[in-house]
Amino acid sequence: MDDHEKSDGRVVPVRLPNNAQGGAAEAVEGRRPAKGNTTGETRPGRSAGQGVRSELGRVRQVAATDREARFTALLHHVDVDRLRAAYFALSPKAAPGVDGVTWADYGLDLEANLWDLHARVHRGAYRARPSRRVYIPKPDGRQRPLGVAALEDKILQRALVEVLNAIYETDFLGFSYGFRPGRSPHQALDALAAGIVGKKVNWVLDADFSDYFSSLDHRWLVKFVEHRIADKRVLRLIEKWLAAGVIENGSWTAFEEGVPQEHRFLRCSRTSTRTTSLTSGLTSGELVTRMAM
């Protein structure tokens, strides 16, 4: 492990995140307030593809300076350019959803497909598809249920998360690493190691939400999102994904609670709901070292 460093008397990770340039203050563990998230323009990050045009600087500025602000007009930021970048950020080899459409299939007439998707989203005609249920083994021998989203759902979720990141990245605390652009499990572990080496530590707490994705309350998730998001069109999109359900063995099942674990928006919501709890004065202890794959 590299030598540890200190900043303002607080523990810092040895290696800063890739997007810490010009904003290293937030990148270090424990530094308050999150100034590093507000000093530059919104970086697209891997989730929406590199080089996508960004017009979210004003959104980020307002979010950083007014912690009570609720944003009423966000969906227009989900334009064709952002959808295109989200498409190219997807893995071409990713498994298809219930519609069977692969990345290559969609790309055969990409521009027409993206403009059609954009039109449906903005006139309210977009319909979320159910996820395809698959299982992967867990270390304890149990099976982890995943939900493989349809390709257009993946594209739109990535694009919308990019917009929401402009808001939530100003709210997240410096020690939060889970599901954030430009951050990784290695940086979380590096910060933990720096803290153990550089500070007097008597105990280490390793905690996690139990069965978070399978027990998530839809009503409360939307309430947490509404702390910052007041664009009814964005909220309706989120509600459509929550209500889409899953297809397993040819049968459709609704989610009364819980969500498919692989949905990109719902990964983002996990971090945003936890951060809202922390900044609202509720008790929570979790070092998240998992990042979106």
Side-chain angles (χ1 to χ4, degrees):
M1 188 61 64
D2 298 338
D3 293 338
H4 61 274
E5 302 175 16
K6 296 181 180 180
S7 175
D8 295 345
R10 296 186 181 274
V11 178
V12 305
V14 176
R15 304 175 188 85
L16 296 180
N18 294 333
N19 62 344
Q21 57 186 4
E26 190 273 340
V28 300
E29 181 179 347
R31 180 72 177 268
R32 296 188 295 261
K35 295 179 180 178
N37 280 333
T38 65
T39 55
E41 295 183 359
T42 300
R43 190 178 70 89
R46 185 179 183 276
S47 62
Q50 297 294 335
V52 66
R53 175 172 53 85
S54 175
E55 296 177 350
L56 297 174
R58 175 60 178 165
V59 172
R60 170 172 287 198
Q61 181 182 8
V62 173
T65 56
D66 185 354
R67 302 300 289 272
E68 302 299 321
R70 299 179 69 231
F71 294 83
T72 60
L74 292 172
L75 192 62
H76 67 279
H77 291 292
V78 181
D79 56 18
V80 173
D81 287 343
R82 189 158 273 112
L83 292 171
R84 184 185 302 107
Y87 167 81
F88 283 112
L90 293 172
S91 170
K93 298 180 180 180
V98 295
D99 58 355
V101 177
T102 66
W103 187 90
D105 294 336
Y106 199 82
L108 292 176
D109 198 5
L110 180 60
E111 290 305 309
N113 288 333
L114 292 177
W115 279 102
D116 178 65
L117 173 59
H118 177 268
R120 282 182 280 126
V121 168
H122 285 269
R123 70 172 184 263
Y126 169 81
R127 296 291 180 263
R129 291 180 177 268
S131 297
R132 182 171 62 85
R133 171 69 80 210
V134 296
Y135 294 89
I136 61 173
K138 298 177 68 173
D140 60 6
R142 295 182 297 165
Q143 295 287 308
R144 183 189 303 278
L146 302 180
V148 180
L151 189 77
E152 282 196 337
D153 288 317
K154 292 179 182 179
I155 294 171
L156 183 54
Q157 287 171 12
R158 283 177 176 269
L160 184 58
V161 165
E162 182 68 20
V163 175
L164 297 182
N165 276 344
I167 299 168
Y168 288 115
E169 281 294 307
T170 69
D171 293 342
F172 291 156
L173 304 178
F175 55 74
S176 175
Y177 288 82
F179 310 120
R180 295 182 61 185
R183 294 197 167 208
S184 72
H186 298 290
Q187 291 157 358
L189 293 173
D190 191 40
L192 178 63
I196 293 174
V197 172
K199 298 288 183 178
K200 183 179 180 181
V201 177
N202 294 321
W203 50 267
V204 175
L205 174 65
D206 181 8
D208 195 4
F209 290 115
S210 176
D211 296 323
Y212 175 87
F213 286 102
S214 62
S215 61
L216 180 66
D217 187 299
H218 294 178
R219 183 173 60 90
W220 277 107
L221 184 146
V222 174
K223 282 183 177 292
F224 274 115
V225 173
E226 287 177 338
H227 281 293
R228 288 295 240 167
I229 310 302
D231 188 328
K232 294 187 181 299
R233 298 178 302 169
V234 170
L235 295 173
R236 279 197 295 269
L237 278 176
I238 294 168
E239 290 166 348
K240 286 179 180 181
W241 286 319
L242 291 174
V246 296
I247 296 288
E248 183 175 3
N249 297 325
S251 298
W252 178 79
T253 302
F255 275 108
E256 300 298 331
E257 64 177 14
V259 293
Q261 193 164 153
E262 288 303 289
H263 274 217
R264 178 156 299 268
F265 162 75
L266 299 167
R267 288 172 172 177
C268 176
S269 72
R270 180 185 188 186
T271 311
S272 65
T273 53
R274 188 178 77 252
T275 301
T276 303
S277 297
L278 286 166
T279 55
S280 298
L282 302 179
T283 301
S284 176
E286 179 184 19
L287 173 62
V288 178
T289 59
R290 294 172 48 219
M291 292 290 290
M293 291 181 289

